[in-house]
Amino acid sequence: MIPTLAGRLQTRIFVLATVGALLTALVVPVLPGRPGSLGTAYRTAFLMLLAVMAVGLVWELLYHLLMQFRWDKDWPTLFGLVTMVPEGAVMWLLLNTGLVPGVGDHVSASMFVTMFVVVWLGQWLFLNGPMRVLSVRWRLRGGRLL
């Protein structure tokens, strides 16, 4: 079954809150160009993750609209991976213009790119592998978890 809008939203929140949070916690100590202390770096990284989640919900609305023009109403798997580029560009723009609340200092490009790519690839790989095994009916329920 094709993921429904509700399923896509639920899945994005769930995966970023679990896999994304775990990967963020693991990668922060080794991030290049991290700001100040380790505590500040964790705060900045988790605020960035929260911003990615919030902006990602808006992206899902746009993706849902765009999918209505496809005959099968779904993205090929490669399109799901390539969406990392526009989402990352928008997040970088939001961070650099100060539109992400709580992230006061300028975030270095190396910190942002490392964290964004690790979290994005981690969640994409999880969705295309373990998620299909751990929740066999997930796809059959249109991606809904609840």
Side-chain angles (χ1 to χ4, degrees):
M1 177 175 205
I2 297 167
T4 63
L5 180 58
R8 293 177 62 88
L9 295 171
Q10 288 175 20
T11 298
R12 182 175 284 253
I13 291 169
F14 171 74
V15 172
L16 282 173
T18 55
V19 176
L22 176 65
L23 290 172
T24 299
L26 292 173
V27 79
V28 165
V30 295
L31 281 176
R34 68 173 197 241
S37 69
L38 188 57
T40 304
Y42 270 112
R43 182 177 182 277
T44 301
F46 276 102
L47 286 171
M48 286 170 39
L49 183 68
L50 190 59
V52 167
M53 187 182 298
V55 172
L57 297 178
V58 176
W59 276 111
E60 289 298 341
L61 298 175
L62 176 64
Y63 294 152
H64 186 73
L65 175 69
L66 291 174
M67 281 190 282
Q68 300 313 304
F69 297 106
R70 291 188 47 83
W71 71 272
D72 62 351
K73 307 284 191 260
D74 198 6
W75 291 116
T77 303
L78 181 61
F79 280 19
L81 178 61
V82 172
T83 59
M84 172 174 53
V85 175
E87 286 194 32
V90 167
M91 283 310 305
W92 178 245
L93 181 69
L94 291 174
L95 283 167
N96 277 336
T97 56
L99 295 175
V100 177
V103 180
D105 295 349
H106 174 73
V107 176
S108 70
S110 58
M111 177 185 174
F112 172 77
V113 169
T114 303
M115 184 183 145
F116 192 83
V117 169
V118 166
V119 171
W120 185 267
L121 286 177
Q123 63 93 26
W124 183 79
L125 289 169
F126 180 79
L127 283 173
N128 287 292
M131 183 70 169
R132 295 172 190 247
V133 173
L134 297 173
S135 181
V136 177
R137 296 178 186 236
W138 165 70
R139 184 112 174 130
L140 299 175
R141 291 188 304 217
R144 290 186 327 271
L145 298 168
L146 302 175

